PDB file of all heavy atoms in Angstrom:
ATOM      1  N   VAL D1105      99.994 139.026 100.825  1.00 97.00           N
ATOM      2  CA  VAL D1105      99.262 139.950 101.591  1.00 97.00           C
ATOM      3  C   VAL D1105     100.137 140.812 102.512  1.00 97.00           C
ATOM      4  O   VAL D1105     101.224 140.384 102.849  1.00 97.00           O
ATOM      5  CB  VAL D1105      98.194 139.217 102.597  1.00 97.00           C
ATOM      6  CG1 VAL D1105      97.248 138.500 101.635  1.00 97.00           C
ATOM      7  CG2 VAL D1105      98.733 138.502 103.625  1.00 97.00           C
ATOM      8  N   ILE D1112      89.509 137.653 102.891  1.00 95.00           N
ATOM      9  CA  ILE D1112      88.470 136.711 103.170  1.00 95.00           C
ATOM     10  C   ILE D1112      89.010 135.357 103.293  1.00 95.00           C
ATOM     11  O   ILE D1112      89.929 134.963 102.585  1.00 95.00           O
ATOM     12  CB  ILE D1112      87.440 136.727 101.949  1.00 95.00           C
ATOM     13  CG1 ILE D1112      86.759 138.233 101.945  1.00 95.00           C
ATOM     14  CG2 ILE D1112      86.452 135.644 101.906  1.00 95.00           C
ATOM     15  CD1 ILE D1112      85.870 138.272 100.717  1.00 95.00           C
ATOM     16  N   ALA D1134      98.047 130.384 102.555  1.00 94.00           N
ATOM     17  CA  ALA D1134      97.308 129.543 101.620  1.00 94.00           C
ATOM     18  C   ALA D1134      95.826 129.359 102.014  1.00 94.00           C
ATOM     19  O   ALA D1134      95.048 128.896 101.204  1.00 94.00           O
ATOM     20  CB  ALA D1134      97.971 128.243 101.501  1.00 94.00           C
ATOM     21  N   ILE D1136      93.992 131.983 102.899  1.00 96.00           N
ATOM     22  CA  ILE D1136      93.224 133.183 102.619  1.00 96.00           C
ATOM     23  C   ILE D1136      92.757 133.019 101.161  1.00 96.00           C
ATOM     24  O   ILE D1136      93.532 132.720 100.235  1.00 96.00           O
ATOM     25  CB  ILE D1136      94.210 134.430 102.776  1.00 96.00           C
ATOM     26  CG1 ILE D1136      94.574 134.433 104.249  1.00 96.00           C
ATOM     27  CG2 ILE D1136      93.608 135.597 102.338  1.00 96.00           C
ATOM     28  CD1 ILE D1136      95.570 135.614 104.416  1.00 96.00           C
ATOM     29  N   LEU D1137      91.537 133.338 100.950  1.00 96.00           N
ATOM     30  CA  LEU D1137      90.986 133.215  99.616  1.00 96.00           C
ATOM     31  C   LEU D1137      91.102 134.392  98.700  1.00 96.00           C
ATOM     32  O   LEU D1137      91.325 134.291  97.495  1.00 96.00           O
ATOM     33  CB  LEU D1137      89.508 132.866  99.793  1.00 96.00           C
ATOM     34  CG  LEU D1137      88.976 131.632 100.711  1.00 96.00           C
ATOM     35  CD1 LEU D1137      87.576 131.764 100.888  1.00 96.00           C
ATOM     36  CD2 LEU D1137      89.369 130.382  99.948  1.00 96.00           C
ATOM     37  N   ALA D1138      90.932 135.666  99.340  1.00 96.00           N
ATOM     38  CA  ALA D1138      90.977 136.808  98.366  1.00 96.00           C
ATOM     39  C   ALA D1138      91.344 137.968  99.276  1.00 96.00           C
ATOM     40  O   ALA D1138      91.011 137.979 100.481  1.00 96.00           O
ATOM     41  CB  ALA D1138      89.730 136.902  97.629  1.00 96.00           C
ATOM     42  N   ILE D1139      91.626 139.057  98.636  1.00 97.00           N
ATOM     43  CA  ILE D1139      91.781 140.441  99.199  1.00 97.00           C
ATOM     44  C   ILE D1139      90.608 141.343  98.642  1.00 97.00           C
ATOM     45  O   ILE D1139      90.514 141.272  97.466  1.00 97.00           O
ATOM     46  CB  ILE D1139      93.191 141.025  98.733  1.00 97.00           C
ATOM     47  CG1 ILE D1139      94.337 140.197  99.246  1.00 97.00           C
ATOM     48  CG2 ILE D1139      93.299 142.399  99.415  1.00 97.00           C
ATOM     49  CD1 ILE D1139      95.768 140.591  98.754  1.00 97.00           C
ATOM     50  N   VAL D1140      89.868 141.903  99.568  1.00 92.00           N
ATOM     51  CA  VAL D1140      88.800 142.729  99.064  1.00 92.00           C
ATOM     52  C   VAL D1140      89.105 144.297  99.254  1.00 92.00           C
ATOM     53  O   VAL D1140      90.091 144.540  99.928  1.00 92.00           O
ATOM     54  CB  VAL D1140      87.621 142.449  99.828  1.00 92.00           C
ATOM     55  CG1 VAL D1140      87.007 141.031  99.223  1.00 92.00           C
ATOM     56  CG2 VAL D1140      87.636 142.465 101.250  1.00 92.00           C
TER      57      VAL D1140
ATOM     58  N   ILE E 713      87.315 142.614  94.238  1.00 93.00           N
ATOM     59  CA  ILE E 713      87.963 141.529  94.988  1.00 93.00           C
ATOM     60  C   ILE E 713      89.174 140.869  94.080  1.00 93.00           C
ATOM     61  O   ILE E 713      88.853 140.672  92.852  1.00 93.00           O
ATOM     62  CB  ILE E 713      86.924 140.399  95.403  1.00 93.00           C
ATOM     63  CG1 ILE E 713      87.464 139.275  96.147  1.00 93.00           C
ATOM     64  CG2 ILE E 713      86.174 139.929  94.179  1.00 93.00           C
ATOM     65  CD1 ILE E 713      86.456 138.274  96.677  1.00 93.00           C
ATOM     66  N   LYS E 714      90.201 140.539  94.869  1.00 96.00           N
ATOM     67  CA  LYS E 714      91.384 139.876  94.065  1.00 96.00           C
ATOM     68  C   LYS E 714      91.524 138.546  94.662  1.00 96.00           C
ATOM     69  O   LYS E 714      92.137 138.450  95.779  1.00 96.00           O
ATOM     70  CB  LYS E 714      92.598 140.768  94.364  1.00 96.00           C
ATOM     71  CG  LYS E 714      93.843 140.217  93.567  1.00 96.00           C
ATOM     72  CD  LYS E 714      93.604 140.332  92.045  1.00 96.00           C
ATOM     73  CE  LYS E 714      94.841 139.723  91.283  1.00 96.00           C
ATOM     74  NZ  LYS E 714      94.514 139.670  89.830  1.00 96.00           N
ATOM     75  N   PRO E 715      91.178 137.510  93.979  1.00 97.00           N
ATOM     76  CA  PRO E 715      91.515 136.079  94.563  1.00 97.00           C
ATOM     77  C   PRO E 715      92.956 135.965  94.581  1.00 97.00           C
ATOM     78  O   PRO E 715      93.762 136.484  93.800  1.00 97.00           O
ATOM     79  CB  PRO E 715      90.819 135.209  93.385  1.00 97.00           C
ATOM     80  CG  PRO E 715      89.869 136.023  92.639  1.00 97.00           C
ATOM     81  CD  PRO E 715      90.399 137.457  92.756  1.00 97.00           C
ATOM     82  N   LEU E 716      93.430 135.046  95.574  1.00 96.00           N
ATOM     83  CA  LEU E 716      94.842 134.955  95.791  1.00 96.00           C
ATOM     84  C   LEU E 716      95.277 133.697  94.910  1.00 96.00           C
ATOM     85  O   LEU E 716      94.547 132.763  94.684  1.00 96.00           O
ATOM     86  CB  LEU E 716      95.075 134.658  97.305  1.00 96.00           C
ATOM     87  CG  LEU E 716      95.258 135.831  98.287  1.00 96.00           C
ATOM     88  CD1 LEU E 716      95.990 135.405  99.383  1.00 96.00           C
ATOM     89  CD2 LEU E 716      96.002 136.972  97.549  1.00 96.00           C
ATOM     90  N   ARG E 719      93.348 131.066  92.632  1.00 96.00           N
ATOM     91  CA  ARG E 719      91.941 130.991  92.776  1.00 96.00           C
ATOM     92  C   ARG E 719      91.148 131.852  91.790  1.00 96.00           C
ATOM     93  O   ARG E 719      91.628 132.789  91.261  1.00 96.00           O
ATOM     94  CB  ARG E 719      91.612 131.448  94.148  1.00 96.00           C
ATOM     95  CG  ARG E 719      91.937 130.316  95.271  1.00 96.00           C
ATOM     96  CD  ARG E 719      91.518 130.719  96.601  1.00 96.00           C
ATOM     97  NE  ARG E 719      91.909 129.853  97.666  1.00 96.00           N
ATOM     98  CZ  ARG E 719      93.089 129.765  98.212  1.00 96.00           C
ATOM     99  NH1 ARG E 719      94.068 130.785  97.921  1.00 96.00           N
ATOM    100  NH2 ARG E 719      93.391 128.983  99.170  1.00 96.00           N
ATOM    101  N   LEU E 780      80.683 132.404  98.867  1.00 88.00           N
ATOM    102  CA  LEU E 780      80.930 133.700  99.476  1.00 88.00           C
ATOM    103  C   LEU E 780      79.837 134.764  99.181  1.00 88.00           C
ATOM    104  O   LEU E 780      79.248 134.598  97.949  1.00 88.00           O
ATOM    105  CB  LEU E 780      82.151 134.400  98.791  1.00 88.00           C
ATOM    106  CG  LEU E 780      83.551 133.983  99.352  1.00 88.00           C
ATOM    107  CD1 LEU E 780      84.601 134.921  98.567  1.00 88.00           C
ATOM    108  CD2 LEU E 780      83.593 134.141 100.745  1.00 88.00           C
ATOM    109  N   ILE E 789      84.153 130.705  95.191  1.00 96.00           N
ATOM    110  CA  ILE E 789      85.678 130.925  94.908  1.00 96.00           C
ATOM    111  C   ILE E 789      86.297 129.507  95.015  1.00 96.00           C
ATOM    112  O   ILE E 789      86.065 128.768  95.939  1.00 96.00           O
ATOM    113  CB  ILE E 789      86.236 131.934  96.020  1.00 96.00           C
ATOM    114  CG1 ILE E 789      87.727 132.370  95.565  1.00 96.00           C
ATOM    115  CG2 ILE E 789      86.247 131.485  97.435  1.00 96.00           C
ATOM    116  CD1 ILE E 789      88.191 133.539  96.151  1.00 96.00           C
TER     117      ILE E 789
END
Side-chain angles (χ1 to χ4, degrees):
Chain D
V1105 300
I1112 292 180
I1136 297 179
L1137 302 172
I1139 303 174
V1140 287
Chain E
I713 178 172
K714 181 66 180 174
L716 279 199
R719 288 191 183 82
L780 278 187
I789 189 163

